[in-house]
Amino acid sequence: MKGVAQRRATIVDVAKQANVSKSTVARVLEGKINVSDDARARVLKAVAALGYERNRLAVGMRSGRTGLLAIVIPDITNPFWAEVTRGAQDQAIKKGFSLLVFSSDWDVAKEAAHLQAIRQARVDGAIINPVADNFDSIDFFGMPLVFLGSSAERFPEISSVGSDIKQGVNLGLQAFAERGHALPSLIMGPRSRLARIRFLRAVTDYCIARDMDPELVTIEDADYTVEGGFQAMSRLLELNARKEKHRAVFAANDLMALGAMMAVRKAGLRCNEDVSILGFDGIPAGMFSMPGLTTIKKPSRQIGETAMVCLLDEIEGHSEHGRIHLPCQLIERDSVADLYRQNEINR
Amino acid sequence: MKGVAQRRATIVDVAKQANVSKSTVARVLEGKINVSDDARARVLKAVAALGYERNRLAVGMRSGRTGLLAIVIPDITNPFWAEVTRGAQDQAIKKGFSLLVFSSDWDVAKEAAHLQAIRQARVDGAIINPVADNFDSIDFFGMPLVFLGSSAERFPEISSVGSDIKQGVNLGLQAFAERGHALPSLIMGPRSRLARIRFLRAVTDYCIARDMDPELVTIEDADYTVEGGFQAMSRLLELNARKEKHRAVFAANDLMALGAMMAVRKAGLRCNEDVSILGFDGIPAGMFSMPGLTTIKKPSRQIGETAMVCLLDEIEGHSEHGRIHLPCQLIERDSVADLYRQNEINR
DNA sequence: ATGAAAGCGCTAACAG
DNA sequence: CTGTTAGCGCTTTCAT
C-alpha cells in the first residue's frame, strides 16, 4: 500500500461508514460533548477503519484557525537561536500546532519576504526577532505576534520576550569584583545594535551606583565574531602591554570572548593567569576551550518557550503580556581568575 | 492601521476593483500568458491598491499544492542538524515554499506524531531522518519523500541523501597513516546505530585492502556524548598506559573526540604530543578546543540543500534520485601529530 | 482572451 | 443529540 496515491478519506466517507451526518463526525473530531456515546463510538471506529486524517487546510478555510505558527530568527545555525527555536517548537507541538521556521540573516529584504509568506499561509500567530526598524507599511490584520530580543523595544505595542541584559551585565561586573578584579575592559558589538546600548547603559548604571567613573572603562568595538574578538583583544594588549591594565575583559558575546582568548595566547600570555575573560551567551563551545570559558548564560531555550506560551495565550484571546525579561546566569569555568584565592594560596 | 483586524481582500475584491472576473485574476496571479496586457495591468494595480495577498489555504484546497514542506530531524539544537535544516530551508524558500520543522529526539512516538501533523497539513513533500524501523502502517498517499542519513538504507524504495561515511573513514585512516601513525583505536557510537556499522565496515575494508588485520584495532563503545568520549578515552589510557599504544584515536563524532581530549589532559598527557585524536563531524566547537580538533567534516549544509533539491524534483514529477552520498573532507588543525615532521625536526 | 459555474473538505449556524 | 444548509477563497473546466 505504501507510496500508492489513492484518494484520502474525507469526513463524508467517515459519516457514511458510521451512518451519521458530517456534522456529527465534525463534533466528534472537535471533541465536543454533545454527541451520544454510541454515535461517537461508530465514528471513531470508522475513522480508524478508513485511516481518516483531518484536512487542516479545509479546517483553516472554514474556521480561520490553521494550526500553523511561524518563527523568524536571524539564523537557525546559530546555537543561541537554535535553542530559542527548540523551546518555541516544543511548546507549539504540545498544543497541537506546527511551526514554520524562517532565517532572516539580519536582512530586511529576506525578512519582508518571510513575513509575506507567513501572511499568505494564514498562520495563527508568529514569533519574530525583528530586523527592520518598522513595519508601518505592513498590516498584520491583527495576527497575534510576539517579538524577541532587544530590537523588539522599537515596537511598544507588541509584547516581547528577551533576556535581562542589565541583570546579566551586573552579574558579570559583580563576578569580577568578587574575584578581586578592577572594572573590566569591554569588547562590544556594533554601535547600531540596541543590545549594545543596553549593555553599556547597564555598565554606566553599575559604576554610578558605586561611585566609580564610567568614563574610565575602555571599550573596544567588534562585530560579534571570533575574528573581531581576536583583533579587539590584540588592540587592548598593545594599548598597555603588561602594565597591569586590561587584565580583566568582558566580551558582549561568547564568540568574541573565545577570539579574545586566542589573542591572549598568541601574545604569549595566559588566560586566567595573565588575563581574565568573561563571555556573554553561554554557547556550548565555551565548554571545550582551554581554559573553559566563564560566561553569563542567557536562558535561550526558556526565551523560546516563554515567547510561545505568550503567543498561544494571545491566540486564545488572553490579554497581552507586555515586556518580559528573563534572568541570566553566571556559568563559572576557568577563564576568570579568583585573585583573592590566589593570594591566599601564595601566602 | 497596524494591528487592526479588518477583512482581508479576496480575489473577488480584486476582480471587482479591476473590472474583470475571478478567473482572470487567478490567471494573472498564476502567471499564465493568456491574459491581455490591459487586464493584467488593471489586476496588478488592484492587487497593490487593496494590499491583496493570496490565501494559500484556499489555493491548496483547490489545487492540491499547499506550498508547505516539512523536515523531521532529531534535534534542531544539534549544530549538524541545524546546518542540514538551513540548507534545506534556503532551497525551499528560493522556490517559494515554506518549511515546517520538527524535532524527533530519536523518539519513535514523537516521530509518529510529527508525521501525522505533516499528513494533516497536506504538505507537498517532506525530508525525514527516520528513527522508526519501518513505516508499513503508514500510508503517505504518494507524498514525495526524501530520507536523510544511514538509517534511510532501511527504506530501499525511497531516495535518500547522506554523507559518504566510507570515504570519510578512509580519509581519516589515511590521515593517520600519512602522518606516521599506526592504525588508530576507535571510539564508536551505540551498537544499534546503522552509522556505526557502516563506520566499522569501512575500517575493515581499509585493513583488508592493505593486508592488515582488522581484529587488531581496539574499539571502545560510547554514546556520541562528550562524557561518553571522556570515559572511553580513560579506559583506553588505563588499558595500556604509556606503552606506546592508543597514541592514535579516531572518534565517531566530534563531541566524543572533545571528551577524549579532556580525558587525555586529565591523565596528565598532552593531546598531539602524547596522543593524537581525530574527530568526525566538523562542528564549530572543534575550532576553539586546545589544541584545535583535527576532524573529518561532513558536508552538512550541502546534505540539506541536496535533499531539498531532490524533493523539489520529485514534487515536480521528475524521476527519483536514488541514494546520494556526499563526500567528507579533512579539516586539519592540531590534534593529530605529524610524526614524520617531528622526527625531521628532532634530527 | 474572458466569464460562469462547480466544488475542494470542512465548520458554523440553524432547525428540528 | 443530530441533520441540513451555506459558504470559506480559490482553481478548474467548460463555454463563449
Side-chain angles (χ1 to χ4, degrees):
Chain A
M1 213 36 107
K2 200 185 322 182
V4 175
Q6 55 172 68
R7 201 178 68 83
R8 291 158 91 124
T10 75
I11 203 173
V12 180
D13 300 322
V14 175
K16 230 175 274 172
Q17 176 118 0
N19 242 310
V20 293
S21 70
K22 289 195 303 177
S23 325
T24 301
V25 177
R27 280 188 270 260
V28 173
L29 262 27
E30 281 274 89
K32 296 253 173 76
I33 25 81
N34 46 346
V35 182
S36 68
D37 289 350
D38 179 49
R40 181 187 312 278
R42 291 205 316 275
V43 167
L44 260 19
K45 197 176 143 197
V47 164
L50 295 167
Y52 167 78
E53 285 188 299
R54 237 169 153 195
N55 183 334
R56 318 254 335 190
L57 288 183
V59 173
M61 183 100 261
R62 195 65 253 253
S63 72
R65 274 165 292 102
T66 55
L68 256 30
L69 262 21
I71 186 167
V72 186
I73 50 158
D75 183 9
I76 191 63
T77 266
N78 175 322
F80 174 80
W81 290 112
E83 281 287 344
V84 171
T85 301
R86 184 63 207 264
Q89 202 180 59
D90 289 347
Q91 296 299 316
I93 297 284
K94 200 190 279 181
K95 299 281 184 182
F97 288 85
S98 297
L99 189 62
L100 288 165
V101 179
F102 298 89
S103 298
S104 70
D105 290 319
W106 289 276
D107 178 326
V108 178
K110 278 191 193 177
E111 177 181 74
H114 294 151
L115 294 179
Q116 186 182 23
I118 285 171
R119 274 174 280 128
Q120 294 196 354
R122 301 300 197 259
V123 302
D124 294 331
I127 294 175
I128 302 172
N129 172 248
V131 354
D133 283 330
N134 69 77
F135 295 117
D136 283 347
S137 57
I138 294 169
D139 190 337
F140 280 95
F141 297 93
M143 178 195 297
L145 246 35
V146 172
F147 277 4
L148 247 28
S150 305
S151 43
E153 298 202 344
R154 291 184 295 236
F155 307 90
E157 70 276 27
I158 294 175
S159 27
S160 73
V161 179
S163 57
D164 191 337
I165 295 190
K166 186 186 173 97
Q167 174 260 356
V169 169
N170 277 332
L171 223 48
L173 263 15
Q174 277 164 24
F176 276 119
E178 287 166 5
R179 286 158 187 73
H181 293 270
L183 269 181
S185 301
L186 269 23
I187 298 181
M188 292 287 103
R191 287 164 190 262
S192 58
R193 308 289 303 175
L194 230 45
R196 171 186 166 121
I197 297 172
R198 292 257 236 117
F199 194 112
L200 291 181
R201 190 157 53 204
V203 173
T204 306
D205 289 352
Y206 178 93
C207 291
I208 291 174
R210 283 161 186 74
D211 272 331
M212 302 164 114
D213 183 359
E215 296 295 317
L216 258 38
V217 342
T218 310
I219 300 174
E220 280 293 337
D221 292 358
D223 58 355
Y224 288 131
T225 68
V226 175
E227 178 61 18
F230 181 92
Q231 288 170 356
M233 187 70 226
S234 303
R235 272 177 265 135
L236 244 23
L237 257 18
E238 284 170 23
L239 230 56
N240 218 323
R242 282 151 219 230
K243 286 256 183 82
E244 298 301 305
K245 273 208 81 177
H246 310 307
R247 288 195 48 172
V249 174
F250 193 177
N253 79 352
D254 281 355
L255 254 20
M256 294 193 294
L258 257 7
M261 266 179 44
M262 288 177 169
V264 169
R265 198 149 53 219
K266 180 84 171 287
L269 265 25
R270 294 197 305 174
C271 182
N272 181 312
E273 284 84 346
D274 301 310
V275 180
S276 284
I277 293 177
L278 180 64
F280 204 140
D281 256 0
I283 64 173
M287 284 178 7
F288 306 115
S289 62
M290 185 62 199
L293 181 68
T294 300
T295 189
I296 306 297
K297 182 172 166 43
K298 295 180 188 166
S300 41
R301 186 169 298 222
Q302 201 196 341
I303 288 174
E305 287 171 354
T306 307
M308 185 51 82
V309 169
C310 290
L311 184 63
L312 260 12
D313 272 2
E314 285 193 24
I315 289 172
E316 285 172 13
H318 301 342
S319 60
E320 299 190 5
H321 285 263
R323 233 154 268 307
I324 296 178
H325 297 291
L326 268 11
C328 302
Q329 193 190 345
L330 174 69
I331 297 188
E332 178 144 30
R333 290 194 278 244
D334 306 306
S335 65
V336 174
D338 187 336
L339 267 23
Y340 291 139
R341 217 182 38 187
Q342 274 178 221
N343 288 343
E344 267 174 44
I345 294 169
N346 290 346
R347 231 178 283 153
Chain B
M1 215 36 112
K2 201 184 321 181
V4 175
Q6 56 171 66
R7 203 178 67 83
R8 291 158 90 125
T10 74
I11 204 173
V12 181
D13 300 320
V14 176
K16 230 175 275 173
Q17 176 119 356
N19 242 309
V20 294
S21 71
K22 287 197 305 179
S23 323
T24 301
V25 176
R27 279 188 272 260
V28 172
L29 261 27
E30 281 273 270
K32 295 256 172 73
I33 25 82
N34 46 345
V35 182
S36 68
D37 289 349
D38 179 50
R40 181 187 312 276
R42 293 207 314 276
V43 168
L44 260 19
K45 199 177 140 193
V47 164
L50 294 167
Y52 167 78
E53 285 188 300
R54 231 166 157 199
N55 183 332
R56 315 251 343 185
L57 287 182
V59 172
M61 183 99 260
R62 197 61 254 256
S63 71
R65 273 164 293 103
T66 55
L68 256 31
L69 262 19
I71 186 166
V72 186
I73 49 159
D75 183 7
I76 192 63
T77 264
N78 174 323
F80 174 79
W81 290 111
E83 282 285 343
V84 171
T85 301
R86 184 64 208 263
Q89 203 179 58
D90 289 347
Q91 296 299 316
I93 297 284
K94 200 191 280 183
K95 299 281 185 182
F97 288 86
S98 297
L99 190 62
L100 288 164
V101 179
F102 298 89
S103 298
S104 70
D105 290 320
W106 288 276
D107 178 325
V108 177
K110 277 192 193 175
E111 178 181 72
H114 294 151
L115 293 178
Q116 186 181 25
I118 285 171
R119 274 175 279 126
Q120 294 195 354
R122 301 299 197 261
V123 302
D124 294 331
I127 294 174
I128 302 172
N129 172 248
V131 354
D133 283 330
N134 68 76
F135 294 118
D136 282 349
S137 57
I138 294 169
D139 190 335
F140 279 96
F141 297 93
M143 178 196 296
L145 247 35
V146 172
F147 277 5
L148 247 29
S150 306
S151 43
E153 299 204 342
R154 291 184 294 237
F155 308 90
E157 70 275 26
I158 294 175
S159 28
S160 74
V161 179
S163 57
D164 191 337
I165 295 191
K166 186 186 174 95
Q167 175 262 355
V169 169
N170 277 331
L171 223 49
L173 262 14
Q174 277 163 22
F176 277 119
E178 287 166 7
R179 285 158 188 72
H181 292 272
L183 270 181
S185 300
L186 269 24
I187 299 181
M188 293 288 101
R191 287 164 191 264
S192 57
R193 308 291 301 175
L194 231 46
R196 170 186 167 120
I197 298 172
R198 293 257 238 116
F199 194 112
L200 291 180
R201 190 158 51 202
V203 173
T204 305
D205 290 352
Y206 177 94
C207 291
I208 291 174
R210 283 162 185 75
D211 273 329
M212 302 164 112
D213 183 1
E215 296 296 317
L216 257 39
V217 341
T218 309
I219 301 175
E220 280 293 338
D221 292 357
D223 58 355
Y224 288 130
T225 68
V226 176
E227 179 59 20
F230 181 92
Q231 288 171 354
M233 187 71 227
S234 303
R235 273 178 265 133
L236 245 21
L237 257 17
E238 283 171 23
L239 231 54
N240 217 324
R242 283 155 218 231
K243 286 258 182 79
E244 298 301 303
K245 273 208 85 178
H246 310 307
R247 289 196 46 175
V249 174
F250 193 177
N253 80 351
D254 281 355
L255 252 22
M256 294 193 295
L258 257 8
M261 266 178 46
M262 289 177 165
V264 168
R265 198 149 53 218
K266 180 84 171 289
L269 266 23
R270 295 197 302 175
C271 182
N272 181 313
E273 285 83 346
D274 301 311
V275 179
S276 285
I277 294 177
L278 180 64
F280 204 139
D281 258 0
I283 65 174
M287 284 178 4
F288 307 116
S289 63
M290 185 61 200
L293 181 66
T294 300
T295 190
I296 306 295
K297 181 173 167 41
K298 293 180 188 166
S300 41
R301 187 170 296 220
Q302 200 196 342
I303 288 174
E305 287 172 354
T306 306
M308 185 50 82
V309 168
C310 290
L311 184 64
L312 261 12
D313 271 2
E314 285 192 24
I315 290 172
E316 285 173 9
H318 301 343
S319 59
E320 299 189 6
H321 285 261
R323 236 155 264 311
I324 296 178
H325 297 291
L326 267 12
C328 303
Q329 191 190 347
L330 174 70
I331 297 188
E332 179 144 30
R333 289 193 279 245
D334 306 307
S335 66
V336 174
D338 186 337
L339 267 22
Y340 291 139
R341 218 182 39 187
Q342 274 178 221
N343 287 344
E344 266 173 44
I345 292 168
N346 290 347
R347 229 176 285 153

